[in-house]
Amino acid sequence: MKLIQKITIINIGIWGFIFLSVVSLWCFANAGPGSGVRSPALLLSVGSVAALLSAAFIVLPFWIIFKRAGVHPALSILILAPMVNLVMLYIIAFFGPETGAAARTAQEP
C-alpha cells in the first residue's frame, strides 16, 4: 500500500474520531430529565471509551510511520490535534527520512 493511501485512510479515521466525539458530546448535552436517557453517566462513559479506542486506532499507525521516518514516535500523539496533524504530515512528507536518526547514521563514517 502506498504512503498516500495510508495517509488517506488514517485521515478518514481522524475525522471519524472527531465525528464520534461530537456526537457523544451532543448526546450528553441533550441528555436531560425529559430526553428519555436514563443514565447520562453511562452515555458519557461509553462515549469516552469510544473516543479512547478511536484515538489509539489513529495514533498507532502514525507511531510506526514516525519511527520509520526517523522522527521521535511520541510526536504521533500530536496527530490528534486538528491543524497540527497536517503540519506533521507535511514535515514527514517533505523533509523525509533525512531528518532525525537516519541523518545521524548517514553522516557517521
Side-chain angles (χ1 to χ4, degrees):
M1 186 181 292
K2 294 182 179 179
L3 183 62
I4 192 71
Q5 292 171 338
K6 290 178 184 178
I7 291 173
T8 303
I9 290 170
I10 292 170
N11 206 2
I12 290 170
I14 290 171
W15 286 108
F17 166 73
I18 292 170
F19 176 75
L20 282 176
S21 299
V22 168
V23 167
S24 176
L25 288 174
W26 180 80
C27 289
F28 184 70
N30 290 327
S35 67
V37 177
R38 294 193 177 132
S39 178
L42 177 65
L43 179 67
L44 181 63
S45 63
V46 169
S48 299
V49 168
L52 286 174
L53 288 175
S54 298
F57 179 73
I58 293 167
V59 169
L60 182 65
F62 279 107
W63 189 280
I64 295 168
I65 290 170
F66 282 16
K67 190 182 337 180
R68 288 183 183 172
V71 181
H72 197 280
L75 290 174
S76 62
I77 297 171
L78 293 175
I79 291 298
L80 297 175
M83 290 306 289
V84 178
N85 60 6
L86 293 174
V87 172
M88 292 304 296
L89 289 177
Y90 277 104
I91 289 172
I92 295 296
F94 292 115
F95 293 112
E98 289 82 24
T99 60
R104 287 191 294 272
T105 56
Q107 292 174 354
E108 293 177 2

